[in-house]
């Protein structure tokens, strides 16, 4: 638990003033989930991914998605080797522990689909040969919300593959001052001290599953799920996968908070990050506000 | 080692239940039965502790043959209610030796339902009924118990469930009780209830009634529809005695009178005297229901002149009710008595001869005959003779006592002229004798006089000590007129009852004490009145619900008593009940009950919302609720946080039990918060 706090502290050195988002990102990793960061360019998305990879000693690769990208550019390709008269697989960038998929919405659906399939299955099938991806395997994808020209919006079914979506947002004034005074943070990210090994992270993930959730808590989660389904402001309610993800994320949050059992606060803490990107409003309006309002109206304790 | 498939926790219940079901029989029956049950229980408990083997087939067979043999020896047979039940109960307890598998336990339990019901063959009071219900509850508990394995079994929970199941069965029971057609038993079981009942005999000789008068046993109860007549008017006639042999008065029918014509049965041929009786103007009457204790006799008790409204009995020509068969169990009948209805239905020659007959031997009551003839000469009318006789009893030193001196030779003369101490039978007997001697037709009537009201039920209790004898004389133009010579000697007997008449008379105080009906005052008296009240209501409404009253009720309820309408009503009522249960079940299934922990949260939630005057989000976590309190009432911050912590722990930390202690603790904290919130 101390290691976790220390890891958080390390990452906070380069992503300034964003403790909550950092904690969520960490939670996401511990819950074995993929993370979608939605932000304008230059907000520190890449720095965050870098820092996480560094602190957890993860093998790290970055892919800049573009519209002319093909699945092979990510997954890899079979190349004919004239010496052996055989095809050998050249692994693509996906064969890593932490993949930063920058501007994922710029790629064509075909390419997006290839990546998302790899994310879900944690394996890649090329030319009929299935190859497992390394463990742990995380995708941190980013997308630019304002620039919609020439992008392919991720469909909801694929958004569901991301456990969480967070956005970092502009830094607070004093943080920005410190930022300006401090110099290149991405450089600093490279020099962060590793805190937990990647094996340690796998072990932590195992501990997440042991965090206990009482019947009453499961009941609360179910009520929240139900509320998204009966609320006609949403096009569709949350999927059971979302419910499982919510619970897992809450467990991870509880573990980071130093508890071996989850409480409703854990659910509420991860709720927005887990639920918002999976929901869409029927008649416009802020999905974020609607999602948040459910926390107010759904009773925590059954009445 | 044997594998016991009957769960351990049920075994004690089974033992208790077997003993409970057999208990009424054990208390009533012979000692060997109790011995057998004890023996079975000892063997079984030793076997359960692995001290001995359970007896094998041979020993069990021997035991069974032995039981049948002993039953045969004790009762002389192995069938019939007494012997049959004794055998059944013994075999029932023997069966427990065989219980190994669950199936065996089922057999014992189902048999138990039957065994405990046999107790009702012998005793049908509300107490026994309650006891049988208790046995059924125990049996149901066992039935639930054998279906639960030992892990996590909670016997008290089984009891609760058994109670709930039984309560659910009560409405069905009531429907079946009311609607299932009552049929007369196919055979009449003669059950000797074990104790010889005291009561009237069909003859009267000196000392007989005074002996009866020392018992405070119940004779019958009467519930009046309207006003209760004055105590002095409450003469419950049972028998008229017309033949006297010098010592004993006996029932007799006038020579030459057809027995058929003497007794009018409803539905039978109507004799002339009944026609003329019914033709009279009746005047107003008293309507009442009599619930009689078993007497093993056929005569019923009623005031004069009884017209039967409900029940099975006929009216005899001497104006008394006669049942069609001996009263072997409590029986009820409804009567209207018309005191003004004259029984002047004519005195035929044969009647007159019987009512004037005296012992042939002129020496029997010689002085009494002389005195009576003297009065006859002195008086102009028969009524004057009666007056003279009563005056004689009043003015000469006669005493009313329960312990009259013996009258060995000539009871009439010895009593009238020597001892002059006697009980009602002496007065009635000698008065009737003298009336006959004076040429006035007269007869002795035995029955009961008086009766004590129960304040609770406004019904009357007539006990054996209310037994009484008096006379009726035939006066030309008036018919049979009641004359009670005892009233001339001891008017208190008629007005205030036997106890009042005897006290201050130098009677044995023990005897007097025995004549108390209800303890005169205090808790005990109240309790006795209540017991009597419950018993009476039970007799009236439950035991008194026979095929006749059933048909009457059904006619009122359904408008018809055809088998089809009864079947429809039965089917409909039970379907309705089952439908209701189903509805309740469905509702329960859909809804849920708030747990104490959930209630705990919402109570505080509601209180905070009330106190701050604004609604609170339902989506508050316990911690957030505490924070809300802390923000508004800083003084309450500490207990609020403590409450939230405890609450969160109890509800969400599986390592912490949300037991009663914790809930109490939370409630205490909440109450403290209430005070701080103002």
């Amino acid at each position: 638990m101390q290691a976790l706090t220390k890891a958080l502290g390390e990452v906070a050195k380069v992503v300034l003033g964003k403790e909550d988002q950092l904690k969520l990102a960490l939670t996401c990793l511990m819950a074995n989930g993929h993370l979608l960061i939605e932000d304008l360019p230059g907000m520190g998305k890449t720095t965050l991914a870098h820092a996480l990879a560094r602190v957890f000693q993860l093998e790290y690769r970055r892919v800049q998605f573009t519209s002319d990208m093909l699945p092979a550019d990510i997954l890899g390709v079979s190349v004919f080797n004239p010496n052996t008269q055989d095809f050998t697989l050249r692994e693509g960038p996906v064969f890593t522990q932490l993949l930063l998929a920058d501007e994922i919405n710029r790629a064509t659906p075909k390419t997006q689909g290839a990546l998302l399939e790899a994310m879900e299955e944690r394996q890649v099938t090329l030319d009929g040969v299935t190859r497992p991806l390394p463990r742990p395997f995380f995708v941190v994808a980013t997308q630019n919300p304002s620039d919609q020209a020439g992008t392919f919006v991720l469909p909801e079914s694929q958004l569901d593959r991301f456990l969480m979506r967070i956005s970092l947002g502009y830094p607070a004034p004093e943080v920005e001052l410190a930022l300006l005074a401090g110099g290149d943070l991405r450089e600093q990210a490279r020099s962060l001290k590793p805190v937990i090994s990647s094996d340690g992270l796998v072990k932590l993930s195992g501990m997440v599953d042991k965090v206990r959730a009482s019947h009453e808590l499961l009941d609360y989660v179910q009520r929240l799920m139900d509320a998204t389904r009966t609320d006609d402001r949403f096009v569709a309610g949350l999927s059971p996968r979302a419910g499982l993800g919510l619970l897992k994320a809450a467990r991870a949050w509880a573990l980071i908070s130093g508890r071996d059992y989850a409480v409703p606060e854990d659910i509420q803490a991860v709720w927005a990050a887990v639920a918002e990107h999976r929901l869409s409003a029927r008649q416009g309006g802020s999905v974020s506000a609607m999602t948040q309002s459910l926390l107010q109206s759904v009773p925590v304790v059954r009445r | 080692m044997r594998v016991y498939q009957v769960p351990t926790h049920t075994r004690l219940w089974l033992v208790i239940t077997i003993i409970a079901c057999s208990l009424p029989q054990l208390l009533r029956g012979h000692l060997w039965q109790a011995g057998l049950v004890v023996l079975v229980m000892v063997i079984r408990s030793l076997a359960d502790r692995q001290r001995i083997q359970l007896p094998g087939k041979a020993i069990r067979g021997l035991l069974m043959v032995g039981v049948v043999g002993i039953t045969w020896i004790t009762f002389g047979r192995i069938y019939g209610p007494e012997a049959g039940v004794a055998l059944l109960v013994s075999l029932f307890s023997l069966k427990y030796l065989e219980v190994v598998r669950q199936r065996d336990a089922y057999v014992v339990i189902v048999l138990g339902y039957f065994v405990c019901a046999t107790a009702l063959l012998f005793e049908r009071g509300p107490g026994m009924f309650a006891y049988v219900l208790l046995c059924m509850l125990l049996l149901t508990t066992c039935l639930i118990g054998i279906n639960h394995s030992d892990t996590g079994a909670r016997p008290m929970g089984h009891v609760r469930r058994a109670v709930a199941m039984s309560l659910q069965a009560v409405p069905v029971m009531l429907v079946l009780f009311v609607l299932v057609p009552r049929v007369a038993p196919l055979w009449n079981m003669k059950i000797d209830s074990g104790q010889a009942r005291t009561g009237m005999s069909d003859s009267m000789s000196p000392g007989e009634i005074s002996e009866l008068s020392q018992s405070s046993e119940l004779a019958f109860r009467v519930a009046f529809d309207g006003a209760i007549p004055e105590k002095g008017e409450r003469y419950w006639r049972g028998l008229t005695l017309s033949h006297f042999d010098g010592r004993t008065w006996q029932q007799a029918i006038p020579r030459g009178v057809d027995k058929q014509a003497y007794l009018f049965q409803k539905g039978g041929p109507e004799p002339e005297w009944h026609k003329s009786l019914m033709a009279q103007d009746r005047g107003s009457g008293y309507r009442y229901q009599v619930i009689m204790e078993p007497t093993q006799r056929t005569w019923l008790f009623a005031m004069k002149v009884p017209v039967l409204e409900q029940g099975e009995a006929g009216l005899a020509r001497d104006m008394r009710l006669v049942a069609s068969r001996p009263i072997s169990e409590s029986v009820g009948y409804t009567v209207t008595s018309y005191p003004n209805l004259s029984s002047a239905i004519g005195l035929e020659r044969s009647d007159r001869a019987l009512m004037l007959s005296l012992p042939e031997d002129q020496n029997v009551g010689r002085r009494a005959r002389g005195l009576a003839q003297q009065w006859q000469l002195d008086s102009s009318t028969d009524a004057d003779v009666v007056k003279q006789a009563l005056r004689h009893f009043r003015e000469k030193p006669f005493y009313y006592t329960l312990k009259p001196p013996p009258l060995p030779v000539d009871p009439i003369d010895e009593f009238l002229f020597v001892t002059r101490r006697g009980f009602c039978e002496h007065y009635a007997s000698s008065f009737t004798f003298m009336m006959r001697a004076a040429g006035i037709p007269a007869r002795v009537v035995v029955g009961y006089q008086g009766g004590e009201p129960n304040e609770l039920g406004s019904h009357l209790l007539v006990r054996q000590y209310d037994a009484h004898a008096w006379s009726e004389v035939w006066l030309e133009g008036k018919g049979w007129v009641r004359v009670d010579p005892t009233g001339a000697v001891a008017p208190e007997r008629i007005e205030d009852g036997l106890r009042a008449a005897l006290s201050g008379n130098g009677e044995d105080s023990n005897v007097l004490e025995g004549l108390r009906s209800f303890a005169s005052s205090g808790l005990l008296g109240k309790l006795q009145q209540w017991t009597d009240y419950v018993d009476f209501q039970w007799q009236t409404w439950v035991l008194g619900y026979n095929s006749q009253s059933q048909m009457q009720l059904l006619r009122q309820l359904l408008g018809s008593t055809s088998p089809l309408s009864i079947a429809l009503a039965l089917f409909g009522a039970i379907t309705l009940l089952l439908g209701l249960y189903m509805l309740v079940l469905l509702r329960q299934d859909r809804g849920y009950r708030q747990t104490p922990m959930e209630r705990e949260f919402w109570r505080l939630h509601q209180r905070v919302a009330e106190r701050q005057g604004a609604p609170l989000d339902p989506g508050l976590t316990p911690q957030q609720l505490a924070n809300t309190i802390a923000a508004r009432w800083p003084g309450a911050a500490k207990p609020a946080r403590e409450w939230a912590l405890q609450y969160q722990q109890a509800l969400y930390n599986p390592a912490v039990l949300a037991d009663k202690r914790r809930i109490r603790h939370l409630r205490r904290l909440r109450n403290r918060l209430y005070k701080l919130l103002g």
Side-chain angles (χ1 to χ4, degrees):
Chain A
M1 251 21 70
Q2 273 177 339
L4 278 173
T5 324
K6 206 171 156 201
L8 263 180
E10 281 295 304
V11 182
K13 282 183 189 164
V14 292
V15 184
L16 298 178
K18 298 287 172 199
E19 279 77 15
D20 280 357
Q21 282 88 334
L22 290 184
K23 206 171 160 188
L24 279 173
L26 190 58
T27 303
C28 191
L29 293 195
M30 284 172 53
N32 237 339
H34 305 293
L35 183 66
L36 181 63
I37 305 178
E38 195 171 84
D39 240 326
L40 299 169
M43 297 295 223
K45 295 175 293 223
T46 315
T47 313
L48 173 62
H50 255 296
L52 286 174
R54 181 84 193 140
V55 165
F56 291 109
Q57 290 179 290
L58 297 173
E59 192 190 320
Y60 168 79
R61 288 215 191 136
R62 178 183 167 175
V63 181
Q64 179 67 44
F65 277 48
T66 56
S67 56
D68 56 356
M69 231 178 177
L70 292 172
D73 294 331
I74 299 169
L75 304 181
V77 67
S78 292
V79 179
F80 183 72
N81 186 337
N83 295 337
T84 55
Q85 293 286 305
D86 203 358
F87 286 96
T88 51
L89 181 75
R90 187 176 293 165
E91 290 179 347
V94 77
F95 288 90
T96 183
Q97 286 179 315
L98 194 149
L99 176 72
L100 176 62
D102 238 346
E103 300 201 74
I104 188 171
N105 53 345
R106 293 217 167 270
T108 57
K110 193 177 179 184
T111 312
Q112 287 173 1
L115 173 65
L116 291 162
E117 207 179 311
M119 283 162 61
E120 185 64 19
E121 309 292 332
R122 290 170 196 275
Q123 63 187 20
V124 170
T125 305
L126 281 172
D127 294 341
V129 183
T130 302
R131 299 171 63 95
L133 292 174
R135 293 192 71 91
F137 172 70
F138 299 108
V139 173
V140 176
T142 71
Q143 66 176 353
N144 188 338
S146 63
D147 180 15
Q148 298 296 327
T151 61
F152 301 92
V153 180
L154 286 173
E156 267 130 31
S157 62
Q158 306 216 335
L159 281 172
D160 207 26
R161 306 262 161 91
F162 289 98
L163 178 62
M164 285 189 189
R165 184 190 69 181
I166 58 173
S167 61
L168 294 171
Y170 295 116
E174 62 275 15
V175 174
E176 189 150 28
L177 254 175
L179 196 82
L180 293 172
D184 188 359
L185 288 170
R186 202 177 291 184
E187 266 315 305
Q188 290 182 25
R190 288 190 215 290
S191 62
L192 283 180
K193 268 181 270 161
V195 178
I196 298 173
S197 68
S198 60
D199 288 343
L201 188 60
V202 172
K203 254 185 221 153
L204 275 175
S205 293
M207 282 173 71
V208 167
D209 290 331
K210 293 204 180 77
V211 170
R212 284 173 295 183
S214 72
H215 178 76
E216 284 82 357
L217 191 84
L218 301 184
D219 216 41
Y220 176 48
V221 172
Q222 203 281 323
R223 272 197 300 277
L224 277 174
M225 293 290 117
D226 217 38
T228 64
R229 291 162 197 168
T230 53
D231 193 328
D232 52 10
R233 292 176 297 174
F234 298 116
V235 173
L238 289 178
S239 65
R241 177 161 54 196
L244 287 170
L246 177 63
L247 189 64
K248 188 149 193 185
R251 282 181 152 135
W253 186 276
L255 191 65
I256 295 176
S257 309
R259 258 180 286 105
D260 66 345
Y261 60 93
V263 296
E265 277 84 356
D266 300 328
I267 304 280
Q268 298 193 344
V270 299
W271 169 247
V274 174
E276 262 174 29
H277 65 287
R278 300 169 204 252
L279 293 169
S280 48
R282 200 182 281 272
Q283 291 159 332
S286 161
V287 175
S288 169
M290 290 177 200
T291 314
Q292 204 60 33
S293 79
L294 288 181
L295 285 188
Q296 259 110 59
S297 61
V298 174
V300 172
V301 177
R302 195 177 63 162
R303 64 149 119 220
Chain B
M1 210 180 93
R2 295 184 106 129
V3 179
Y4 293 97
Q5 290 167 1
V6 177
T8 324
H9 65 89
T10 315
R11 270 189 244 159
L12 178 65
W13 285 96
L14 261 179
V15 171
I16 294 173
T17 307
I18 289 171
I19 293 175
C21 288
S22 326
L23 198 61
Q25 171 64 21
L26 300 187
L27 292 178
R28 204 184 52 248
H30 295 264
L31 200 60
W32 61 264
Q33 291 184 288
L36 181 74
V37 172
V38 172
L39 179 73
V40 166
M41 293 303 159
V42 167
I43 291 178
R44 185 66 207 225
S45 76
L46 285 178
D48 285 346
R49 286 177 178 71
Q50 316 278 329
R51 299 280 176 77
I52 55 171
Q53 288 272 310
L54 268 183
K57 269 212 176 93
I59 297 179
R60 292 204 305 263
L62 270 178
L63 274 171
M64 198 195 78
V65 171
V67 162
V68 174
I70 299 180
T71 310
W72 180 273
I73 292 166
T74 331
F75 295 96
R77 53 182 169 178
I78 53 168
Y79 54 88
E82 277 291 345
V85 170
L87 190 62
L88 180 68
V89 170
S90 306
L91 294 180
F92 173 57
S93 57
L94 276 187
K95 183 77 198 163
Y96 186 52
L97 285 182
E98 292 186 328
V99 173
V100 174
R101 280 172 300 172
Q102 197 190 35
R103 198 197 57 153
D104 306 326
Y106 273 121
V107 171
V108 167
I109 291 168
V110 171
L111 198 58
Y113 281 109
F114 188 70
V115 167
C116 70
T118 58
L120 293 173
L121 280 177
F122 304 98
E123 155 82 55
R124 256 160 275 183
M128 185 51 89
F129 178 70
Y131 184 79
V132 171
L133 280 191
L134 176 81
C135 287
M136 295 209 165
L137 214 59
L138 283 171
L139 285 160
T140 312
T141 305
C142 289
L143 208 49
I144 295 168
I146 59 171
N147 284 292
H148 276 83
S149 64
D150 275 318
T151 43
R154 295 193 327 275
M156 286 328 278
H158 300 163
V159 175
R160 261 201 301 280
R161 173 166 289 191
V163 170
M165 285 169 79
S166 304
L167 284 181
Q168 284 163 7
V170 165
V172 179
M173 177 184 85
L174 290 179
V175 166
L176 293 177
F177 177 80
V178 172
L179 289 180
V180 168
R182 263 131 216 280
V183 285
L186 294 176
W187 64 95
N188 194 15
M189 270 206 271
K190 286 225 183 327
I191 293 173
D192 173 20
S193 51
Q195 63 226 60
R197 292 251 172 199
T198 51
M200 293 272 159
S201 72
D202 57 356
S203 64
M204 182 186 85
S205 43
E208 225 163 69
I209 293 185
S210 48
E211 200 173 300
L212 193 57
S213 284
Q214 301 188 22
S215 158
S216 62
E217 223 173 279
L218 187 68
F220 55 91
R221 294 190 180 95
V222 191
F224 284 91
D225 265 5
I228 301 181
E230 288 296 306
K231 194 161 190 183
E233 289 301 311
R234 297 201 295 256
Y235 281 86
W236 307 101
R237 301 168 81 252
L239 277 177
T240 62
L241 308 175
S242 332
H243 179 261
F244 185 54
D245 64 358
R247 174 166 289 274
T248 305
W249 285 89
Q250 272 174 326
Q251 247 193 316
I253 289 180
R255 201 163 291 153
V257 170
D258 182 14
K259 267 199 177 180
Q260 292 289 320
Y262 195 77
L263 184 70
F264 166 65
Q265 294 273 10
K266 218 177 234 175
E270 192 177 9
E272 283 302 318
W273 60 265
H274 192 260
K275 279 184 196 156
S276 65
L277 184 73
M278 289 297 119
Q280 291 178 40
D281 180 21
R282 297 184 191 185
S284 66
Y286 297 106
R287 191 170 188 273
Y288 51 87
Q289 191 192 10
V290 179
I291 307 267
M292 230 172 91
E293 295 295 300
T295 57
Q296 313 299 343
R297 313 276 183 181
T298 59
W299 53 85
L300 306 175
F301 297 92
M303 292 192 299
K304 199 171 155 186
V305 167
V307 174
L308 190 74
E309 301 206 345
Q310 201 188 58
E312 282 176 51
L315 183 68
R317 202 172 131 184
D318 50 356
M319 303 300 133
R320 59 192 178 85
L321 295 172
V322 181
S324 39
R325 62 176 150 225
I327 310 299
S328 55
E329 53 188 26
S330 296
V331 66
Y333 51 94
T334 308
V335 170
T336 306
S337 284
Y338 299 96
N340 296 330
L341 194 62
S342 163
S343 45
I345 47 170
L347 192 67
E348 285 168 26
R349 187 184 299 274
S350 56
D351 279 328
R352 179 172 284 272
L354 176 65
M355 297 306 171
L356 286 174
S357 68
L358 290 173
E360 303 269 302
D361 186 353
Q362 289 297 319
N363 286 326
V364 173
R366 198 164 50 81
R367 290 180 69 187
R369 289 179 204 225
L371 184 63
Q373 277 149 16
Q374 186 63 46
W375 288 337
Q376 193 189 14
L377 293 176
D378 293 350
S379 318
S380 52
T381 63
D382 287 352
D384 276 349
V385 177
V386 173
K387 269 184 209 152
Q388 288 231 22
L390 289 179
R391 192 180 314 127
H392 177 79
F393 280 119
R394 207 162 22 240
E395 287 170 2
K396 291 289 181 315
F398 282 97
Y399 284 99
Y400 183 67
T401 174
L402 258 180
K403 292 272 159 68
L407 309 165
V409 185
D410 183 349
I412 299 289
D413 273 4
E414 275 175 323
F415 167 68
L416 278 174
F417 303 103
V418 185
T419 64
R420 287 183 171 162
R421 298 170 72 83
F423 200 59
C424 57
E425 68 251 43
H426 299 90
Y427 293 99
S429 167
S430 54
F431 176 83
T432 311
F433 183 92
M434 286 193 292
M435 287 303 107
R436 286 185 174 190
I440 304 173
R443 63 192 178 196
V444 169
V445 184
V446 289
Y448 296 85
Q449 197 277 325
E452 184 194 22
N454 181 327
E455 287 156 24
L456 290 164
S458 71
H459 63 267
L460 217 58
L461 272 94
V462 179
R463 298 170 187 273
Q464 295 300 351
Y465 60 63
D466 290 318
H468 194 50
W470 61 95
S471 301
E472 281 177 351
V473 294
W474 174 267
L475 296 180
E476 210 56 58
K478 281 189 178 169
W480 287 106
V481 174
R482 181 183 69 224
V483 180
D484 189 352
T486 310
V489 178
E492 316 88 74
R493 164 67 186 89
I494 311 304
E495 296 305 325
D496 302 319
L498 184 63
R499 198 174 131 76
L502 292 176
S503 57
N505 235 359
E507 294 284 341
D508 192 344
S509 64
N510 279 341
V511 173
L512 286 184
E513 209 46 47
L515 301 182
R516 271 180 188 282
S517 47
F518 297 126
S520 48
S521 63
L523 200 63
L524 192 61
K526 270 269 174 293
L527 200 69
Q528 285 172 335
Q529 292 216 352
W530 269 110
T531 320
D532 174 64
Y533 177 69
V534 170
D535 198 44
F536 177 68
Q537 298 299 331
W538 181 260
Q539 298 267 4
T540 313
W541 296 108
V542 181
L543 299 183
Y545 187 70
N546 51 27
S547 60
Q548 222 172 342
S549 41
Q550 183 183 36
M551 284 304 144
Q552 204 176 345
L553 181 75
L554 291 183
R555 236 191 308 280
Q556 282 171 8
L557 282 180
L558 310 174
S560 113
T561 55
S562 70
L564 181 68
S565 60
I566 294 177
L568 279 180
L570 198 59
F571 184 72
I574 289 181
T575 310
L576 192 76
L577 276 175
L578 291 182
L580 273 177
Y581 289 151
M582 216 98 96
L583 263 181
V584 171
L585 276 181
L586 281 176
R587 278 184 66 91
Q588 268 183 357
D589 208 32
R590 215 170 27 177
Y592 52 82
R593 280 229 215 106
Q594 228 175 17
T595 65
M597 279 302 286
E598 287 160 357
R599 263 202 299 283
E600 176 68 29
F601 177 83
W602 289 107
R603 284 195 177 144
L604 185 60
H605 190 274
Q606 194 187 344
R607 178 63 70 105
V608 173
E610 278 168 16
R611 287 290 178 263
Q612 72 168 18
L616 280 173
D617 284 338
L620 287 182
T621 66
Q623 296 279 4
Q624 288 159 355
L625 183 60
N627 292 343
T628 311
I629 296 172
R632 195 176 160 106
W633 295 276
K638 227 183 120 202
R641 296 231 160 84
E642 168 71 8
W643 178 87
L645 187 71
Q646 295 282 345
Y647 190 86
Q648 178 182 298
Q649 292 266 325
L651 205 55
Y652 300 111
N653 189 350
V656 176
L657 268 180
D659 54 2
K660 282 191 177 131
R661 228 187 68 226
R662 188 163 289 264
I663 290 173
R664 268 205 302 279
H665 180 57
L666 279 168
R667 197 176 302 145
R668 271 200 301 277
L669 279 170
R670 180 158 54 89
N671 285 330
R672 219 163 84 210
L673 278 172
Y674 280 4
K675 283 193 198 106
L676 292 168
L677 266 54

